[in-house]
C-alpha cells in the first residue's frame, strides 16, 4: 500500500491550464481510491467537485502528501504555508521555468503513480526568516524559500545601508538594494543579479548587491546558520522595502534593522527518481549538451 493515502491539492486558481491539469489529476487519484482534500482557494475555482475542502493548517496537519499544480511561485507559496507541518510537497509544472515543479502535465499519471508507489527522491530545503525592527519593536516580516530582497520600492533611487554578519560589520553600501538568497533562490532573482548558482544541498546563504555604487562589491556566500543584520541608513530619501519571495512587503524607515536567519523547519520536496539538478539547469537555463550532439 502507498504511504500517501490522503492527498492535498493546491492549484493556481487564475490559470486555465493549471485547472485542467488539476481535474485530470483528481480523476487519476480517484481511480486509485485515495482521499483528496482541496485547498480552499483552489476549491473555489472548481465548482461542483464534491471534495473535502480545508485551510492550509488542516491540509498540513492531516495530509500525507500535497501536490501543487502551477509554477514555481505556486510552490513557493505552498512551501511558506506548509513547511512547518513537515508534509512533503510534489510540484506539477504549469508555469514557465519550473525549477521546483518538475513533473510535466504530459506524463502526470505515470510520474504521480511512481511517487505513490514509493519510487521517488526526497530532499529538504531551508527557508529564511526576516523581521524588521524599529526602535526595538517588531513591525513586520515574512518567510522566504527563495530570497529576501531590500530595494527602494517604486522609486528609482539608491539606498544606503550597513551589513553585519554574525555581529561583525561587513560594509556600508550605496546600491539599488540587496538580495539575500537560499540555494533554492540562487537560480532565481539572485542569478539575474550576478550571483552564483548554488547546489540545493548546500547549507549556505548568498548575499548579492544590486547595482552597487562601488564596483568591488561582489556577491558573498556565507554559512547557512549566519545571523544577518542590515541597518537602513539615516540619510535615505527613499523608504526601502523588504520583500520575501516577491510576496510579503514591509516598508522601512531610516534606522530600522532587518534581521535574517534560517528558519528551524524545512521544506520536504519530492522529485521523481530521474531528477537531476544539473539536467534541470541545462534544460531551464539553456546550457549546452555533450559536444557533437
Amino acid at each position: 500500500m502507498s504511504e500517501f493515502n490522503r492527498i492535498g491539492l493546491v492549484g493556481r486558481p487564475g490559470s486555465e491550464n493549471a485547472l485542467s491539469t488539476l481535474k485530470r489529476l483528481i480523476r487519476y487519484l480517484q481511480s486509485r481510491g485515495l482521499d483528496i482534500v482541496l485547498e480552499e482557494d483552489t476549491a473555489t475555482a472548481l465548482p461542483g467537485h464534491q471534495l473535502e475542502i480545508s485551510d492550509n493548517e488542516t491540509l498540513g496537519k492531516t495530509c500525507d502528501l500535497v501536490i501543487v499544480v502551477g509554477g514555481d511561485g505556486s510552490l513557493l507559496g505552498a512551501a511558506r504555508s506548509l513547511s512547518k507541518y513537515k508534509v512533503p510537497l510534489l510540484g506539477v509544472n504549469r508555469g514557465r521555468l519550473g525549477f521546483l515543479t518538475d513533473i510535466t502535465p504530459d506524463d502526470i499519471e505515470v510520474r504521480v503513480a511512481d511517487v505513490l508507489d514509493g519510487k521517488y527522491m526526497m530532499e529538504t530545503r531551508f527557508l529564511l526568516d526576516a523581521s524588521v525592527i524599529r526602535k526595538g519593536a517588531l513591525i513586520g516580516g515574512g518567510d522566504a524559500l527563495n530570497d529576501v530582497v531590500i530595494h527602494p520600492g517604486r522609486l528609482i533611487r539608491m539606498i544606503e545601508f550597513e551589513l553585519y554578519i554574525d555581529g561583525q560589520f561587513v560594509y556600508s553600501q550605496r546600491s539599488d538594494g540587496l538580495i539575500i538568497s537560499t540555494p533554492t533562490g540562487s537560480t532565481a532573482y539572485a542569478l539575474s543579479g550576478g550571483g552564483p548558482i548554488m547546489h540545493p544541498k548546500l547549507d549556505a546563504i548568498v548575499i548579492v548587491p544590486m547595482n552597487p555604487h562601488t564596483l568591488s562589491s561582489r556577491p558573498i556566500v556565507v554559512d547557512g546558520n549566519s545571523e544577518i543584520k542590515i541597518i537602513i541608513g539615516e540619510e535615505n530619501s527613499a523608504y526601502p522595502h523588504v520583500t520575501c519571495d516577491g510576496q510579503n512587503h514591509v516598508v522601512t524607515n531610516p534606522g530600522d534593522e532587518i534581521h535574517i536567519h534560517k528558519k528551524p523547519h524545512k521544506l520536504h520536496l519530492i522529485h521523481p527518481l530521474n531528477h537531476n539538478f544539473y539536467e534541470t539547469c541545462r534544460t531551464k537555463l539553456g546550457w549546452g549538451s555533450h559536444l557533437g550532439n
Side-chain angles (χ1 to χ4, degrees), residues 6 48 65 81 86 95 101 118 141 143 159 163 166 173 177 183 200 203 207-208 212 226 235 244 249 267 274 286:
R6 184 174 169 84
L65 171 70
S81 300
K86 298 182 179 179
T101 51
D143 304 337
I159 57 177
L163 172 66
D166 292 329
Q173 187 176 99
D203 187 6
I207 301 171
V208 182
S226 298
E235 302 301 321
C244 298
H249 303 273
L267 166 67
N274 65 345

Side-chain angles (χ1 to χ4, degrees), residues 26 32 43 139 156 181 188 218 244 279:
I26 289 169
R32 292 189 60 136
I139 66 161
I156 305 176
S181 172
R218 309 304 301 162
C244 298
E279 173 158 358

Side-chain angles (χ1 to χ4, degrees), residues 99-100 123-128 144-148 179-192 194-208 219-226 228 262 269 271 275-281 285 287:
F99 263 96
L100 298 171
E123 64 178 4
T124 58
R125 306 281 185 97
F126 70 84
L127 293 85
L128 296 175
L145 177 61
N146 265 358
D147 47 45
V148 179
I179 304 167
I180 299 93
S181 172
T182 67
T184 300
S186 70
T187 52
Y189 195 22
L191 180 62
S192 66
I197 293 175
M198 298 196 293
H199 193 280
K201 290 184 179 180
L202 284 174
D203 187 6
I205 297 170
V206 63
I207 301 171
V208 182
I220 303 174
V221 179
V222 299
D223 185 84
N225 294 309
S226 298
I228 298 168
K262 182 196 294 183
L269 188 62
H271 299 289
H275 174 74
N276 181 311
F277 173 71
Y278 303 110
E279 173 158 358
T280 301
C281 289
L285 300 179
W287 291 358

Side-chain angles (χ1 to χ4, degrees), residues 2 31 37 45 49 53 67 77-78 108-109 126 136 188 204 238 253 281:
S2 173
S31 74
V37 186
H49 54 75
I53 303 172
I67 302 177
I108 188 170
E109 290 88 356
F126 70 84
N253 284 347
C281 289

Side-chain angles (χ1 to χ4, degrees), residues 1-286:
M1 292 181 62
S2 173
E3 62 185 297
F4 305 127
N5 298 305
R6 184 174 169 84
I7 313 296
L9 295 182
V10 177
R12 186 178 167 192
S15 168
E16 287 299 323
N17 288 334
L19 292 177
S20 64
T21 300
L22 266 173
K23 293 174 184 177
R24 181 174 161 186
L25 181 58
I26 289 169
R27 289 193 296 269
Y28 174 71
L29 295 175
Q30 287 175 328
S31 74
R32 292 189 60 136
L34 300 173
D35 293 334
I36 303 171
V37 186
L38 288 182
E39 182 267 336
E40 52 191 358
D41 289 337
T42 306
T44 60
L46 293 169
H49 54 75
Q50 297 182 331
L51 296 172
E52 183 180 345
I53 303 172
S54 90
D55 56 21
N56 282 323
E57 181 178 1
T58 305
L59 209 68
K61 287 181 176 179
T62 66
C63 290
D64 305 313
L65 171 70
V66 172
I67 302 177
V68 181
V69 180
D72 284 343
S74 300
L75 199 137
L76 288 172
R80 291 194 303 272
S81 300
L82 299 172
S83 59
K84 69 180 76 173
Y85 305 109
K86 298 182 179 179
V87 58
L89 268 59
L90 175 67
V92 177
N93 186 24
R94 291 297 343 204
R96 290 188 294 272
L97 267 181
F99 263 96
L100 298 171
T101 51
D102 46 18
I103 291 180
T104 61
D106 294 338
D107 57 0
I108 188 170
E109 290 88 356
V110 173
R111 296 301 183 192
V112 171
D114 285 344
V115 171
L116 296 176
D117 293 338
K119 302 173 185 176
Y120 63 86
M121 350 173 7
M122 186 184 294
E123 64 178 4
T124 58
R125 306 281 185 97
F126 70 84
L127 293 85
L128 296 175
D129 179 272
S131 55
V132 179
I133 308 298
R134 180 173 300 159
K135 297 180 180 178
L138 175 68
I139 66 161
D143 304 337
L145 177 61
N146 265 358
D147 47 45
V148 179
V149 181
I150 295 94
H151 59 99
R154 296 180 181 179
L155 299 176
I156 305 176
R157 293 182 184 173
M158 281 193 166
I159 57 177
E160 296 183 348
F161 55 86
E162 292 182 344
L163 172 66
Y164 294 79
I165 299 175
D166 292 329
Q168 297 183 339
F169 174 68
V170 180
Y171 54 57
S172 61
Q173 187 176 99
R174 294 186 72 245
S175 67
D176 288 347
L178 200 65
I179 304 167
I180 299 93
S181 172
T182 67
T184 300
S186 70
T187 52
Y189 195 22
L191 180 62
S192 66
I197 293 175
M198 298 196 293
H199 193 280
K201 290 184 179 180
L202 284 174
D203 187 6
I205 297 170
V206 63
I207 301 171
V208 182
M210 298 166 59
N211 302 320
H213 193 258
T214 304
L215 297 180
S216 59
S217 294
R218 309 304 301 162
I220 303 174
V221 179
V222 299
D223 185 84
N225 294 309
S226 298
E227 297 284 337
I228 298 168
K229 179 174 72 173
I230 296 107
I231 300 178
I232 303 300
E234 295 284 356
E235 302 301 321
N236 279 311
S237 57
Y239 289 81
H241 290 51
V242 179
T243 303
C244 298
D245 281 350
Q247 300 296 319
N248 299 330
H249 303 273
V250 181
V251 181
T252 67
N253 284 347
D256 285 355
E257 295 183 1
I258 304 157
H259 294 253
I260 300 167
H261 60 267
K262 182 196 294 183
K263 292 188 72 67
H265 51 261
K266 296 183 178 181
L267 166 67
H268 292 75
L269 188 62
I270 285 181
H271 299 289
L273 280 179
N274 65 345
H275 174 74
N276 181 311
F277 173 71
Y278 303 110
E279 173 158 358
T280 301
C281 289
R282 285 196 301 274
T283 303
K284 307 299 181 181
L285 300 179

